[in-house]
């Protein structure tokens, strides 16, 4: 019997009829969630090509999303495989894409690239790309990692040798997931690279375009010897302001490393109660129950013929340890799990989960799954995959979410092994479809990492709190859009938004209407609207333009009203100058 609130859909799997209750938004008026397959239509026409299930390439490929030309929309980098070519899709601004890898210099062919991550490692204002690689026997020089420096002119240059990140792992140089993050809070992006044969490594950014491998000195524990790493994330799970390291890894070797704040990490896996995934692959840290603490979803594989397959794990943060609740929450199954992400697809104020699956038989037709959040304070979800129009049963590996068409909701892109790309456009409609998306500009604050890495945002809409943390980490060989996204249903605005920057400074906003906003860190100089360190008429003119447009940061008094008080507050900040 199906019991719940909202419209009910039925689906059949393995001979059983399953109930899928599509829960209504918390606010009055629910949005109607539906995905439309549209990869060829929008120009995402490539994919991954191999000579079959060969060696470690079986576990590829990945994707990375970023605004590489800084024109305000999201572009896509995709791994091509040993028989294919890496692709770069530049967004036209309307959700349509042009493949430009050759023109931009990233069209590597005949190599075994596995995954990619995005970050402005050299602090020049442009997003760079790090690409991982593995050796496949008999396929030449296949294990050369790549660091593409964005030249800011529509081209990239591979600088991996000069930067010191060409060869990562000592054995076979296998490298899978990678993640940028500012673990030492010095204002630049460090790099962690996961390896399946014991090649997990941390590279500290030297601030001059180079990295130093600091694995041995930074980690207190078994990082080098044990974890068969897939997906790293720098994420502050204990709330002390320092990014910790979550590592999804194979064969029960997932790890939690707590940042000690002195350049070192300590293995606290046992204390936090993780490492329970038999084959941890995908990773999604997120506050799924809206209690202000970061939970962690890890994909794995289900049990097969009585073996030790664990299924996916959902670790609920209990303020100092994780409680594993995947079965109780309804998200343990799926198949052979890979990429995953937690995002509010239906804009009801609660994070949902997407996960993709696939492997040789009997896992060759396991579906990509969409679980909607049922608003349970302990975390609970319902499978609505068929009801919302998702029907992918391919060899899914990498998975990302991003707003491809700038319509305010998050779309879904999947990279399959030896398959074309799979793209689902989110066609969310209805009165409850309001959302707020925040991007971050930290260029005027040298002590903060670029693009908001490490920012925490706490929002209240309709009296209900939501919490996000921007870590930019690995979902499995892949990286989603560098923003924080909140569904606010049919609420006219969020009553409050508090941004906590790395280092602890705060920016408070009030009465934030639905929309996409870039929030600029102006901690040391609130009136420097152009972020050039000089206060002049240009700053006043730019602030005035934002004031007229009702940009939330132009509300200088953070009272939700744009009036004379804000004008006076700006003039006072202008008079006081920069600290």
């Amino acid at each position: 019997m199906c019991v719940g609130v909202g419209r009910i859909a039925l689906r059949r799997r393995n001979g059983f009829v399953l109930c899928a209750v599509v829960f209504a938004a918390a606010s009055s008026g629910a949005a109607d969630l539906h995905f439309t397959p549209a990869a060829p239509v929008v120009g995402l026409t490539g994919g991954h090509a191999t000579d079959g299930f060969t060696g470690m390439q079986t576990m590829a490929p990945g994707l990375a999303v970023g605004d590489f030309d800084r024109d305000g929309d999201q572009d896509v980098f995709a791994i091509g495989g040993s028989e294919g070519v890496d692709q770069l899709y530049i967004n036209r601004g309307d959700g349509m894409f042009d493949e430009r890898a050759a023109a931009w210099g990233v069209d590597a062919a005949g190599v075994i690239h596995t995954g990619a991550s995005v970050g402005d490692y050299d602090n020049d204002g442009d997003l760079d790309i790090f690409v991982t690689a593995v050796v496949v026997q008999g396929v030449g020089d296949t294990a050369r990692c790549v660091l593409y420096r964005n030249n800011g002119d529509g081209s990239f240059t591979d600088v991996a040798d000069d930067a010191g990140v060409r060869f990562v792992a000592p054995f076979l140089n296998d490298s899978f997931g990678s993640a940028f993050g500012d673990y030492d809070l010095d204002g630049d992006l460090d790099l962690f690279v996961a390896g399946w044969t014991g090649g997990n490594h941390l590279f500290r950014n030297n601030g001059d375009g180079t990295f130093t491998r600091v694995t041995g000195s930074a980690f207190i524990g078994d990082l080098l010897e044990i974890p068969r790493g897939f997906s790293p994330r720098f994420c502050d799970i204990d709330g002390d302001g320092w990014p910790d390291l979550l590592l999804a890894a194979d064969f029960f070797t997932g790890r939690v490393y707590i940042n000690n704040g002195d350049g070192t990490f300590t293995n606290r896996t046992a204390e936090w109660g993780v490492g329970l995934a038999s084959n941890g692959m995908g990773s999604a840290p997120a506050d799924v129950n809206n209690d202000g603490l970061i939970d962690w979803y890890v994909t794995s594989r289900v049990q097969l013929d009585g073996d030790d397959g664990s299924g996916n794990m959902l670790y609920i943060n209990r303020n100092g340890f994780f409680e594993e609740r995947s079965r109780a929450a309804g998200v343990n199954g799926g198949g052979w799990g890979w990429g995953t992400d937690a995002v509010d697809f239906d804009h009801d104020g609660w994070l949902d989960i997407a996960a993709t699956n696939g492997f040789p038989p009997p896992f060759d037709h396991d579906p990509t799954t969409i679980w909607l959040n049922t608003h349970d304070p302990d975390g609970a979800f319902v499978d609505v995959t068929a009801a919302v129009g998702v029907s992918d049963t391919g060899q899914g590996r990498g998975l990302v979410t991003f707003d491809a068409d700038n319509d305010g909701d998050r779309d879904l892109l999947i990279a399959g092994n030896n398959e074309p790309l799979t793209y689902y456009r989110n066609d969310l409609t209805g009165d409850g479809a309001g959302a707020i998306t925040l991007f971050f500009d930290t260029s005027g604050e040298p002590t903060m990492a670029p693009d908001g890495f490490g920012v925490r945002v706490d929002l209240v809409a309709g009296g209900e709190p939501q919490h996000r943390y921007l870590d930019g980490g690995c979902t499995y060989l892949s990286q989603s859009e560098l923003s924080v996204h909140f569904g606010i249903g049919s609420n006219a605005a969020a009553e409050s938004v508090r941004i906590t920057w790395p280092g602890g400074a705060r920016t408070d906003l009030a009465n934030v209407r639905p929309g996409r906003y870039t929030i600029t860190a102006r901690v040391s100089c609130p009136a420097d609207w152009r972020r050039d360190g000089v206060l002049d008429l240009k700053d006043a003119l730019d602030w005035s333009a934002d004031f007229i447009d009702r940009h939330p940061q132009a509300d200088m008094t953070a009272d939700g009203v744009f009036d004379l008080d804000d004008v006076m507050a700006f003039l006072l900040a202008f008079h006081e100058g920069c600290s």
Side-chain angles (χ1 to χ4, degrees):
M1 179 177 182
C2 298
V3 180
V5 179
R7 60 186 177 86
I8 296 176
L10 299 180
R11 61 178 305 193
R12 183 175 297 274
R13 183 189 290 179
N14 298 329
F16 294 95
V17 176
L18 306 179
C19 299
V21 182
V22 183
F23 280 75
S27 56
S28 60
D32 183 21
L33 177 64
H34 181 76
F35 289 94
T36 302
V41 174
V42 302
L44 296 170
T45 54
H48 186 255
T50 76
D51 57 358
F53 282 98
T54 303
M56 302 180 83
Q57 187 176 202
T58 301
M59 297 184 281
L63 302 156
V65 173
D67 184 3
F68 300 120
D69 52 5
R70 292 296 197 192
D71 64 350
D73 48 52
Q74 300 299 305
D75 312 306
V76 176
F77 176 80
I79 300 298
S82 61
E83 301 295 318
V85 180
D86 292 348
Q87 302 122 56
L88 178 66
Y89 297 95
I90 299 299
N91 198 322
R92 299 179 190 172
D94 57 359
M96 302 293 291
F97 295 86
D98 295 316
E99 205 291 304
R100 302 284 293 166
W104 284 63
V106 295
D107 58 331
V111 295
I112 316 298
H113 288 161
T114 49
S117 55
V118 169
D120 180 9
Y121 86 96
D122 54 358
N123 277 350
D124 67 350
D126 301 304
L127 288 175
D128 312 300
I129 307 174
F130 181 74
V131 184
T132 52
V134 296
V135 162
V136 172
Q137 187 174 2
V139 190
D141 185 10
T142 59
R144 294 168 58 85
C145 294
V146 174
L147 177 59
Y148 288 121
R149 184 186 65 212
N150 191 329
N151 300 317
D153 61 358
S155 70
F156 287 93
T157 300
D158 179 12
V159 296
D161 287 317
D162 291 339
V165 293
R166 174 73 74 196
F167 295 99
V168 175
F171 176 67
L172 289 183
N173 193 39
D174 73 297
S175 52
F176 283 92
S178 60
F180 287 103
D182 186 10
Y183 79 92
D184 50 5
L185 298 185
D186 65 351
D188 51 38
L189 291 174
D190 311 299
L191 176 67
F192 189 93
V193 184
W196 191 76
T197 58
N200 303 288
H201 284 283
L202 175 65
F203 295 87
R204 186 187 67 229
N205 194 324
N206 299 320
D208 59 0
T210 68
F211 293 85
T212 298
R213 192 191 306 253
V214 296
T215 316
S217 60
F219 284 89
I220 304 170
D222 57 0
L223 179 65
L224 282 172
E225 294 82 8
I226 301 297
R228 293 184 176 269
F230 280 133
S231 301
R233 306 283 293 243
F234 288 106
C235 193
D236 180 17
I237 61 170
D238 58 2
D240 66 353
W242 292 91
D244 308 302
L245 178 68
L246 304 180
L247 180 60
D250 213 352
F251 301 132
F252 299 99
T253 63
R255 294 289 185 267
V256 165
Y257 294 96
I258 296 298
N259 193 328
N260 299 317
D262 60 0
T264 68
F265 294 80
T266 299
N267 183 353
R268 297 297 186 194
T269 303
E271 292 90 331
W272 278 81
V274 299
L276 306 179
S278 60
N279 307 91
M281 290 171 278
S283 179
D287 180 13
V288 301
N289 58 349
N290 282 355
D291 66 352
L293 303 173
I294 297 173
D295 313 301
W296 188 22
Y297 187 65
V298 177
T299 59
S300 185
R301 67 172 179 86
V302 297
Q303 191 175 68
L304 180 64
D305 297 329
D307 68 5
D308 60 0
S310 67
N312 304 331
M313 298 284 100
L314 177 62
Y315 300 112
I316 298 296
N317 193 330
R318 299 303 190 192
N319 198 19
F321 68 95
F322 284 118
E323 177 189 358
E324 203 290 300
R325 288 187 48 82
S326 59
R327 292 186 183 278
V331 291
N332 176 260
W336 195 300
W338 300 96
T340 186
D341 204 3
V343 66
D344 186 359
F345 287 118
D346 59 355
H347 292 182
D348 66 352
W350 294 72
L351 291 172
D352 312 303
I353 294 175
T356 194
N357 300 277
F359 215 55
F363 299 100
D364 52 332
H365 289 93
D366 289 334
T368 293
T369 306
I370 306 294
W371 285 287
L372 286 192
N373 198 316
T374 67
H375 310 178
D376 190 309
D378 282 326
F381 298 82
V382 63
D383 182 348
V384 298
T385 307
V388 299
V390 173
S391 58
D392 173 53
T393 57
Q395 286 292 320
R397 297 297 188 269
L399 177 150
V400 295
T401 62
F402 67 122
D403 186 359
D405 48 5
N406 284 353
D407 65 350
D409 53 39
R410 294 294 277 262
D411 309 300
L412 182 66
L413 182 63
I414 302 163
N417 183 274
N418 203 24
E419 291 180 345
L421 292 170
T422 298
Y423 170 65
Y424 284 97
R425 185 182 63 234
N426 187 341
D427 289 326
L428 188 69
T429 58
D431 293 336
I436 294 170
T437 302
L438 303 181
F439 296 85
F440 300 94
D441 179 356
T442 55
S443 59
E445 299 290 340
T447 62
M448 297 181 188
D451 296 287
F453 278 80
V455 164
R456 177 186 170 107
V457 183
D458 300 282
L459 173 147
V460 177
E464 298 295 327
Q466 300 181 50
H467 315 275
R468 303 285 186 270
Y469 183 89
L470 180 58
D471 65 84
C474 181
T475 65
Y476 176 78
L477 306 183
S478 305
Q479 182 175 316
S480 293
E481 177 180 299
L482 284 171
S483 69
V484 298
H485 170 260
F486 297 90
I488 64 169
S490 59
N491 292 295
E495 297 96 274
S496 67
V497 176
R498 167 163 285 183
I499 299 161
T500 303
W501 304 95
R506 290 175 175 173
T507 297
D508 288 309
L509 309 173
N511 194 33
V512 180
R513 299 173 299 172
R516 293 161 50 90
Y517 303 97
T518 296
I519 305 299
T520 303
R522 296 189 176 91
V523 174
S524 60
C525 196
D528 184 10
W529 228 248
R530 296 176 64 85
R531 303 176 306 283
D532 57 5
V534 178
L535 295 182
D536 54 22
L537 180 60
K538 294 177 181 178
D539 294 299
L541 292 174
D542 283 358
W543 176 82
S544 298
D546 281 346
F547 179 84
I548 292 170
D549 289 341
R550 298 299 193 262
H551 188 288
Q553 263 191 298
D555 177 15
M556 300 294 290
T557 57
D559 60 0
V561 180
F562 293 82
D563 56 15
L564 182 61
D565 289 341
D566 299 302
V567 177
M568 298 305 296
F570 176 80
L571 293 175
L572 178 61
F574 190 93
H575 174 73
E576 290 179 345
C578 299
S579 60

